């Protein structure tokens, strides 16, 4: 399959999340080098704290401060840190039961090697120099010589300037491959041809082809060249300017239309140009306009032909 | 309760990459296989349900594209879960129980090849306390493994034996991604070595469910779903006892696993250590054939591997190789969510 296309695809999103009273107190506390847990009805201290008891679903609000030292309950040595993980040098993933807590917190431990880590070892928090109210305010844990205590003291959870929301950035990198049918479509477009695929059963021609007939549920294979001219079947007038740079040059209002290319049994989307937006109409005959080096039509413009008869495209609405 | 059976199952060959195939192109052959096996046409199906995850493809609503493969126009009765297809099967089973459908087509698919599945799976974690640390799926499984080793439940040699047994069994599975002798390999995240981890790859699966006499008409020996249940545990890893799987145990109790012995168990254990946890939760001893397909250690198309456990267990009943089989599916880190079903062939009740 030499013609199969692929391209980098980056999905990046900074999710903005609001915090409830318990999460707000916990993350604000980290900013102030204070670790808070929450006490359950049966007296257990959960760190990190949650707003509802994981066993009884009872609402939990009784905050309590625990130590910044603790004990490793399990661990795993990570020889090859991945992007965005807390340390760039090899480290141990650890679950740490902080002194005064009854449950364990997931974080990382800075240690010279796996031989320096064991379940039951004593550790303490190394704080990040810049703290914003996030779990990463704990830079990591580090080995610590000191006996376990059971210290836990009631805490109001009140701080000046509490953190009420966090932004959690995420980035995932993909190599996108559109598959056989769409690769063929995109390759043809780069030669300024539009190809669809015909269903072997119902004989309809789908553009763009996705490799399957949505009516018959079977593979389409026979390539059919369609267009270049087509008919506007329906349209809308866009009044809000697109934010991305690629569409910066497009002035509003403009028309976005469904266009049934000649020979196609499905309308595709395209922008209509070369005509005032308020003169676009159903049945308008259009043709693609290519820009130099463009891999797809930039927009469609009127051909000047008489409008298509409604009956000619009503099935494609 | 209506008697509902799995009457057909198909899966793709599981491959490291399938660049030449879109998801619907990958899926269509298995959809056609289960329809052909039953003689049903797409329009005869009462309910269609699928499982997949947009995060694998990096595209929103990617499942809508896959719907072309089931002939979704004119409109069909359809649903989707952003989960493994085992949970889609559960939804379809419920739909048939309501009497609104007599047959259901269930499918799921996952292409892990476009992205880094270890990173992708971090996005299912708690976004406040855990997600920002990016603990990948192997790291979390490794924490569970160390807890098991500390508890004396297993050791590295026992884990290697699970890997070896699974991949030897997969030699008889023409769809497996890796089979036969596989070196234990280097540590990925200690104590897990490459051999303890599932292969990354692309694949799809489909089953057809049918009720009562419809099932008998469609399949010589239907795999009757005698019980099915799924349970979930707290999302915070530090709250859970990682060496146990109380959710699996509870689901198994509700599914009726412990009423009579099973002869086969298809366990969804992507990591060797998870089989140790599941065997303990399900009380499986040496009399039970575990993962004769090779399990997720031989092929792990994310979002389809759980449905494949149900399908493999059913196929053994179809072939007369099992009378009473347990099928298990999992989702989430360290076996957070678990589904258990009991499948039986008719002669077991004769």
């Amino acid at each position: 399959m030499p013609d199969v296309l692929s391209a980098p695809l980056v999905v990046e999103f900074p999710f903005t999340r609001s915090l409830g009273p318990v999460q707000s107190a916990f993350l604000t506390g980290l900013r102030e080098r204070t670790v808070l847990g929450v006490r359950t009805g049966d007296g257990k201290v959960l760190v990190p704290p949650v707003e509802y008891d994981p066993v009884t679903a009872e609402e939990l609000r009784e905050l309590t401060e625990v130590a910044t030292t603790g004990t490793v309950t399990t661990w795993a040595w990570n020889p090859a840190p991945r992007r965005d993980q807390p340390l760039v040098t090899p480290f141990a993933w650890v679950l740490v039961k902080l002194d005064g807590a009854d449950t364990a917190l997931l974080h990382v431990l800075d240690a010279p090697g796996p031989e320096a880590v064991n379940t039951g070892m004593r550790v303490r928090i190394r704080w990040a120099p810049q703290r914003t109210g996030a779990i990463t305010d704990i830079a990591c844990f580090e080995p610590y010589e000191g006996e376990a205590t059971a210290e836990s003291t009631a805490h109001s959870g009140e701080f000046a300037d509490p953190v009420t929301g966090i932004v959690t950035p995420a980035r995932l990198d993909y190599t996108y491959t559109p598959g056989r049918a769409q690769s063929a479509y995109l390759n043809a477009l780069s030669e300024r041809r539009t190809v669809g695929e015909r269903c072997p059963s119902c004989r309809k021609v789908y553009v763009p082809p996705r490799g399957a007939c949505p009516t018959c549920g079977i593979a389409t294979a026979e390539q059919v060249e369609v267009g270049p001219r087509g008919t506007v079947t329906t349209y809308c007038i866009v009044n809000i300017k697109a934010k991305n740079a690629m569409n910066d040059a497009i002035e509003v209002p403009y028309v976005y239309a469904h266009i049934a290319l000649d020979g196609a049994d499905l309308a595709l989307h395209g922008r209509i140009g070369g005509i005032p937006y308020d003169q676009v109409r159903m049945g308008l005959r259009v043709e693609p306009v290519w820009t130099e080096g463009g891999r797809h039509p930039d927009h469609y413009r009127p051909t000047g032909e008489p409008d298509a008869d409604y009956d000619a495209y009503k099935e494609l609405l | 309760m209506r008697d509902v059976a799995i009457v057909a199952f198909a899966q793709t060959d599981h491959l490291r990459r399938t660049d030449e195939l879109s998801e619907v192109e990958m899926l269509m052959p298995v959809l056609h296989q289960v329809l052909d096996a039953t003689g049903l046409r797409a329009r005869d199906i009462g309910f269609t349900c699928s499982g997949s995850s947009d995060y694998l493809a990096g595209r929103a609503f990617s499942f809508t594209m896959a719907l072309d493969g089931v002939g979704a126009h004119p409109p069909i009765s359809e649903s989707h879960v952003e989960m493994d297809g085992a949970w889609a099967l559960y939804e379809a089973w419920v739909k048939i129980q309501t009497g609104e459908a007599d047959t259901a087509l269930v499918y799921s698919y996952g292409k892990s090849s476009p992205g880094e599945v270890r990173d992708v799976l971090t996005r299912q974690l708690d976004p406040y306390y855990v997600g920002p640390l990016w603990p990948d799926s192997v790291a979390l499984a490794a924490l569970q493994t160390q807890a098991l080793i500390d508890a004396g439940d297993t050791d590295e040699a026992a884990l290697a034996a699970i890997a070896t047994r699974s991949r030897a069994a997969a030699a008889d599975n023409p769809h497996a991604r890796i089979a036969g002798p596989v070196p234990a390999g280097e540590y990925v995240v200690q104590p897990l070595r490459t051999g303890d981890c599932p292969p990354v790859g692309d694949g799809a699966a489909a089953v057809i469910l049918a009720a009562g006499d419809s099932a008998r008409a469609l399949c010589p020996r239907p795999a009757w779903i005698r019980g099915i249940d799924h349970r979930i545990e707290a999302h915070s890893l530090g709250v859970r006892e990682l060496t146990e799987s109380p959710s699996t145990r509870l689901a198994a109790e509700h599914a009726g696993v412990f009423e009579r012995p099973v002869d086969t168990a298809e366990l969804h254990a992507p990591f060797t250590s998870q089989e140790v946890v599941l065997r303990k939760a399900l009380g499986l001893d040496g009399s039970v054939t575990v993962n004769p397909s090779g399990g997720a250690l031989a092929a792990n198309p994310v979002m389809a591997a759980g449905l494949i456990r149900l399908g493999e267990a059913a196929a053994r009943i179809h072939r007369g190789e099992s009378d009473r089989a347990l099928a298990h599916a999992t989702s989430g880190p360290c076996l957070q969510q678990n589904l258990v079903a009991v499948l039986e062939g008719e002669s077991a009740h004769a």
Side-chain angles (χ1 to χ4, degrees):
Chain A
M1 281 281 172
D3 291 338
V4 171
L5 297 169
S6 75
L9 170 68
V10 178
V11 176
E12 225 170 348
F13 43 91
F15 266 132
T16 303
R17 299 177 179 276
S18 56
L19 302 174
V22 171
Q23 288 174 320
S24 171
F26 176 70
L27 292 178
T28 308
L30 294 185
R31 191 188 68 196
E32 307 303 326
R33 303 185 191 219
T34 298
V35 184
L36 298 182
V38 70
R39 195 176 291 280
T40 66
D42 60 358
K44 277 192 173 169
V45 175
L46 309 182
V47 180
V50 292
E51 281 155 347
Y52 296 91
D53 189 304
V55 178
T56 65
E58 181 192 359
E59 186 172 315
L60 302 177
R61 291 293 181 270
E62 193 187 330
L63 295 166
T64 180
E65 184 177 350
V66 299
T68 57
T69 55
T71 304
V72 170
T73 63
T74 187
W75 62 283
W77 184 256
N78 183 18
R82 300 170 77 79
R83 190 183 70 198
D84 299 324
Q85 291 179 346
L87 293 172
V88 295
T89 50
F91 62 84
W93 291 103
V94 283
L95 280 168
V96 175
K97 195 179 281 190
L98 290 169
D99 296 335
D102 293 293
T103 61
L105 171 86
L106 179 77
H107 220 287
V108 305
L109 171 68
D110 187 9
E115 60 289 339
V117 187
N118 61 275
T119 299
M121 78 182 284
R122 297 283 296 151
V123 295
R124 73 174 165 205
I125 289 173
R126 180 190 299 165
W127 295 104
Q130 312 285 326
R131 294 179 309 283
T132 60
I135 192 65
T136 45
D137 288 352
I138 298 175
C140 60
F141 282 86
E142 59 190 17
Y144 164 73
E145 304 291 331
E147 288 305 304
T149 60
E151 60 182 271
S152 165
T153 51
H155 193 287
S156 67
E158 286 169 20
F159 295 94
D161 188 23
V163 177
T164 57
I166 57 170
V167 177
T168 56
R171 175 188 166 127
L172 294 169
D173 285 72
Y174 301 90
T175 301
Y176 181 66
T177 57
R180 179 199 56 79
Q182 292 180 91
S183 285
Y185 170 77
L186 293 169
N187 280 326
L189 268 190
S190 66
E191 299 164 8
R192 304 197 173 187
R193 297 184 301 117
T194 303
V195 297
E197 285 186 351
R198 191 189 304 280
C199 172
S201 177
C202 69
R203 309 300 294 162
K204 281 189 173 167
V205 173
Y206 292 98
V207 184
R210 289 203 287 262
C213 172
T215 302
C216 305
I218 58 174
T220 56
E222 183 196 341
Q223 280 190 9
V224 181
E225 189 157 339
V226 297
R229 292 183 168 187
T231 301
V232 170
T233 63
T234 186
Y235 63 94
C236 64
I237 299 166
V238 179
N239 286 290
I240 297 172
K241 198 159 172 61
K243 241 183 167 176
N244 59 332
M246 201 171 72
N247 293 331
D248 216 33
I250 302 170
E251 289 303 321
V252 293
Y254 66 87
V255 171
Y256 200 65
H258 272 190
I259 299 156
L261 295 179
D262 295 346
D265 291 295
L266 188 73
L268 47 66
H269 309 251
R271 182 169 60 88
I272 305 295
I275 181 174
Y277 72 91
D278 57 357
Q279 290 177 30
V280 175
R281 57 203 179 264
M282 291 170 75
L284 182 71
R285 295 285 293 162
V286 293
E287 63 188 2
V289 178
W290 303 80
T291 51
E292 188 60 38
R295 288 187 61 115
H296 54 82
D298 179 71
H299 65 277
Y300 291 78
R301 70 180 171 210
T303 63
E305 294 168 274
D307 285 4
D309 193 47
Y310 179 66
D311 285 341
Y313 62 85
K314 68 179 182 187
E315 297 297 326
L316 302 179
L317 277 172
Chain B
M1 295 285 264
R2 301 182 78 189
D3 284 336
V4 177
I6 296 174
V7 295
F9 166 58
Q11 62 183 314
T12 59
D13 290 343
H14 303 292
L15 304 169
R16 177 63 189 90
R17 329 190 52 86
T18 52
D19 292 349
E20 73 287 3
L21 298 175
S22 67
E23 282 146 329
V24 67
E25 288 167 334
M26 182 173 74
L27 190 57
M28 250 182 313
V30 296
L31 297 173
H32 296 165
Q33 276 178 50
V34 289
L35 290 168
D36 290 349
T38 55
L40 292 170
R41 294 160 303 170
R43 76 188 72 127
D44 300 327
I45 297 290
F47 181 60
T48 299
C49 199
S50 61
S52 66
S53 173
D54 282 353
Y55 275 90
L56 289 172
R59 284 201 333 280
F61 294 99
S62 59
F63 76 93
T64 60
M65 306 286 188
L67 277 173
D68 286 351
V70 295
H73 179 83
I76 60 171
S77 172
E78 182 270 341
S79 185
H80 173 260
V81 296
E82 192 75 8
M83 295 186 80
D84 190 290
W87 278 263
L89 184 147
Y90 184 88
E91 181 176 337
W93 176 83
V94 170
K95 186 78 166 186
I96 293 175
Q97 291 302 337
T98 66
E100 288 186 30
D102 293 326
T103 54
L105 172 62
V106 179
Y107 64 88
S108 63
Y109 61 92
K111 284 185 73 165
S112 294
S113 59
E116 287 285 340
V117 72
R118 286 172 69 183
D119 299 331
V120 167
L121 290 175
T122 66
R123 301 301 91 196
Q124 70 184 336
L125 301 168
D126 155 32
Y128 301 97
Y129 301 160
V130 180
L133 306 174
W134 292 80
D136 61 280
S137 47
V138 181
L140 296 174
L143 286 168
Q144 184 172 34
T145 307
Q146 186 62 46
L148 286 162
I149 291 171
D150 287 337
D153 287 342
T154 193
D155 55 35
E156 289 196 35
L159 297 177
I162 290 171
T164 300
R165 193 209 74 234
S166 298
R167 275 125 191 185
D172 295 328
N173 177 353
H175 305 288
R177 224 237 341 112
I178 52 172
V182 174
E186 301 292 315
Y187 286 121
V188 185
V189 180
Q190 188 177 336
L192 289 175
R193 297 174 182 273
T194 50
D196 294 303
C197 300
V200 176
D202 302 348
V207 305
I208 288 178
L209 300 182
D213 289 340
S214 302
R216 290 183 190 91
L218 295 171
C219 177
R221 193 173 193 241
W224 297 102
I225 300 172
R226 295 300 182 202
I228 184 167
D229 193 71
H230 63 97
R231 300 282 157 164
I232 185 167
E233 294 172 38
H235 68 244
S236 178
L237 288 172
V239 169
R240 291 162 52 191
E241 172 49 74
L242 294 178
T243 62
E244 308 280 348
S245 185
S247 55
T248 299
R249 177 89 190 174
L250 193 58
E253 279 170 12
H254 283 258
V257 169
F258 306 117
E259 289 166 14
R260 279 188 309 286
V262 296
D263 54 45
T264 301
E266 277 287 342
L267 305 180
H268 185 191
F271 297 95
T272 50
S273 51
Q274 294 178 339
E275 183 178 307
V276 176
V277 180
L278 293 171
R279 277 179 179 270
K280 193 163 61 161
L282 294 165
L284 301 177
D285 59 26
S287 68
V288 180
T289 305
V290 172
N291 287 350
S293 64
L297 287 164
N300 188 42
V302 177
M303 299 298 144
L307 180 63
I308 290 170
R309 305 281 72 75
L310 286 143
E312 290 279 10
R316 272 176 79 81
I317 288 172
H318 296 160
R319 294 193 298 263
E321 295 166 4
S322 168
D323 291 324
R324 191 165 197 266
L326 178 158
H328 159 266
T330 194
S331 186
C334 302
L335 302 169
Q336 189 193 359
Q337 305 165 54
N338 294 285
L339 178 148
V340 177
V342 177
L343 307 176
E344 282 183 0
E346 202 99 86
S347 62
H349 271 339

